Amino acid sequence: METVQGGMLLIYTVIAIIALVVMIAKFRIYPFLVLIIVSLGLGLAVGMPMDGIVKSYEKGTGNTLGHLAIVIALGTMLGKMMAESGGAERIAITLIEWFGEKYIHWAMMFIALIVGLPVFFEVGFVLLIPIVFNIAKRTGKSLLVVGLPMVAGLSVVHGLIPPHPAALLAVQAYHADIGKTIMYSLLVGVPTAIVAGPLYALWINKYVKLPENNPLATQFVEVNHDRTRELPSFGLTLFTIMLPVVLMLVGSWADIFFAPKTFPNELLRFIGSSDIALLIAVLVSFITFGSMQGFNREQIEKFCGGCLASIAGILLIVGAGGGFGGILRDSGISHEIVSTALKANLSPLLLGWFVAALIRLATGSATVAMATACSIVAPIAAAAGVVVRPELLVLATGSGSLIFSHVNDAGFWLIKEYFGMTVGQTLKTWSVLETIISVLGLSFTLLLSAIL
């Protein structure tokens, strides 16, 4: 078969995405199967070698699940322990007391901004989602009103605010001053999170109604607490769920404490990796949420084993989305999208946003979009002779990397499944929220550029 090139690659991609959405939304075919069928069909349609299509799909699936499967599994265990012990309920009660039911969505946004600093989006999500479920249950508010501000806060931190690992990539690539980047990113990120999170959540909630029954929410909320047992203290609960966040933050600062390549430095980096930090937190939770709350070994083992069954489907769908992204990359579609961006005669700030946005649409990964866009735009910006603050280039590129999450993004399926939404509802809520962050982030960055 003749290989498809040029603009036809983009046309085939659009057709594939439309087919994917229609098959899931209209014909109710299970997303895992649809993603496999459409991915393989796209590979055949654009002329990929037949012996390479399956390998490309498997590689994309494996690359996605290699990290996410561990993170989601450990995060779910930690969340289950928090739920069974009453820790999630304790956090919910305390936040409602502090902020009141009326302002609880603002509380979730700011908590996500803090928790999300050292961790990738998916890690922050699995840490905070049990609290979201419990607050929604206790206040009677929609999961959208409580949950969308949380994911908005995590997303803004992921793309814009160092010392988040993704944002640090751009800081290093553009040789930006990290102090100035943090200052500018807060000026841009906080108002962006406010609009995309609490304000958008209150508006879209009028038009999107979630189903009454959410099996995943039930797992983290309707647990059999022994009412004669005291709930764990707020301090103990906060210590346990913040432990992986602190470990990851310390790991990212290893070079500050010890010289690179030394044993203490490598040890801090090791325990600061997301997998190890979450593993340590789960083991600690066996004490703080387990034995200290009166649970025996058999009960703890039952909690951890039982909670994994409910996420098996999610992992398969998330992995299948990664496989679709693998086909887009290996077929040359991602390269064609980047070429299209480079042909546009744009200022460095707009170019950084545009390239990152197109790579994000093609690959589904904000981190990949940011890293790739930086490597492309940095030499172009340097050669252009136009004086642009590198800190603002970081923000423009980060904003572009967050645009319109869709079916090739693991986060899309994660949020769809946990919130119990249809594909259409996920597009109307999460995908639009991400686009608001992207466009507002660029707008505020351009405004800063005009002022500075």
Side-chain angles (χ1 to χ4, degrees):
M1 181 183 291
E2 187 177 342
T3 303
V4 175
Q5 295 179 342
M8 285 302 297
L9 283 171
L10 305 183
I11 294 173
Y12 276 114
T13 304
V14 172
I15 293 171
I17 291 172
I18 292 172
L20 195 153
V21 173
V22 169
M23 289 169 73
I24 295 172
K26 184 173 178 60
F27 297 103
R28 307 291 181 186
I29 304 174
Y30 191 56
F32 174 64
L33 294 175
V34 175
L35 282 161
I36 296 175
I37 293 166
V38 171
S39 300
L40 300 181
L42 178 61
L44 289 169
V46 300
M48 287 181 69
M50 287 192 182
D51 62 347
I53 293 175
V54 174
K55 290 180 181 177
S56 176
Y57 184 81
E58 289 177 343
K59 183 181 178 183
T61 301
N63 287 345
T64 299
L65 287 183
H67 171 65
L68 283 187
I70 298 170
V71 165
I72 294 173
L74 290 173
T76 301
M77 285 183 181
L78 183 58
K80 184 64 172 175
M81 291 300 300
M82 181 164 54
E84 289 289 347
S85 68
E89 188 177 351
R90 169 64 71 196
I91 293 283
I93 291 169
T94 305
L95 290 177
I96 292 167
E97 287 176 353
W98 285 0
F99 292 89
E101 290 188 17
K102 187 177 180 182
Y103 301 108
I104 195 65
H105 47 296
W106 294 95
M108 289 311 304
M109 184 198 77
F110 284 110
I111 288 168
L113 286 171
I114 296 168
V115 170
L117 272 176
V119 305
F120 280 97
F121 178 88
E122 294 82 7
V123 179
F125 182 84
V126 295
L127 285 176
L128 294 178
I129 195 66
I131 297 170
V132 169
F133 284 144
N134 273 270
I135 288 175
K137 178 75 172 180
R138 294 188 70 87
T139 62
K141 291 182 180 292
S142 164
L143 199 58
L144 292 177
V145 172
V146 183
L148 287 183
M150 182 267 285
V151 295
L154 290 175
S155 186
V156 164
V157 171
H158 183 100
L160 301 180
I161 305 177
H164 191 282
L168 274 178
L169 286 173
V171 169
Q172 293 163 359
Y174 290 129
H175 305 290
D177 180 275
I178 191 166
K180 290 180 181 178
T181 305
I182 292 173
M183 182 175 67
Y184 296 153
S185 66
L186 290 174
L187 290 174
V188 169
V190 172
T192 298
I194 288 172
V195 176
L199 297 184
Y200 180 65
L202 290 173
W203 181 80
I204 195 63
N205 183 56
K206 299 174 186 176
Y207 305 98
V208 175
K209 299 303 175 187
L210 303 186
E212 291 291 327
N213 181 38
N214 184 325
L216 275 168
T218 301
Q219 172 174 286
F220 291 115
V221 176
E222 295 179 6
V223 292
N224 298 317
H225 293 317
D226 180 356
R227 292 302 171 187
T228 62
R229 183 190 294 123
E230 283 284 325
L231 295 177
S233 69
F234 178 74
L236 186 69
T237 305
L238 192 65
F239 162 76
T240 308
I241 63 171
M242 287 300 290
L243 178 60
V245 177
V246 172
L247 288 176
M248 287 180 232
L249 196 59
V250 170
S252 69
W253 291 344
D255 290 350
I256 297 175
F257 299 120
F258 299 103
K261 304 296 183 182
T262 60
F263 175 75
N265 180 284
E266 292 180 351
L267 180 63
L268 285 185
R269 289 185 178 279
F270 176 73
I271 66 172
S273 64
S274 56
D275 294 351
I276 303 302
L278 276 169
L279 175 62
I280 292 170
V282 169
L283 296 176
V284 170
S285 77
F286 293 164
I287 300 171
T288 57
F289 292 151
S291 58
M292 289 177 66
Q293 308 308 319
F295 294 115
N296 59 36
R297 182 179 296 179
E298 288 73 22
Q299 288 172 303
I300 294 171
E301 185 178 333
K302 183 180 177 183
F303 296 155
C304 289
C307 72
L308 295 180
S310 63
I311 64 168
I314 294 174
L315 288 174
L316 286 173
I317 293 169
V318 167
F324 183 62
I327 294 291
L328 292 181
R329 285 188 293 274
D330 294 344
S331 64
I333 292 171
S334 298
H335 183 267
E336 181 63 29
I337 288 174
V338 173
S339 298
T340 303
L342 293 177
K343 290 172 186 174
N345 187 20
L346 300 172
S347 71
L349 288 178
L350 287 174
L351 183 64
W353 181 88
F354 191 48
V355 172
L358 290 177
I359 297 171
R360 157 72 156 184
L361 291 171
T363 65
S365 169
T367 305
V368 170
M370 191 179 297
T372 308
C374 288
S375 65
I376 293 169
V377 175
I380 295 174
V386 180
V387 179
V388 178
R389 290 179 182 265
E391 295 79 19
L392 298 185
L393 268 175
V394 172
L395 301 186
T397 307
S399 297
S401 74
L402 298 176
I403 200 166
F404 200 74
S405 162
H406 63 98
V407 293
N408 64 343
D409 178 16
F412 179 92
W413 299 104
L414 200 65
I415 286 165
K416 174 193 175 297
E417 296 299 316
Y418 271 89
F419 280 59
M421 294 190 287
T422 65
V423 168
Q425 288 175 328
T426 313
L427 289 168
K428 291 176 186 175
T429 54
W430 164 245
S431 300
V432 173
L433 179 153
E434 286 282 83
T435 305
I436 291 171
I437 293 174
S438 181
V439 173
L440 276 183
L442 174 65
S443 301
F444 286 131
T445 301
L446 292 174
L447 182 62
L448 264 182
S449 177
I451 294 171
L452 295 174

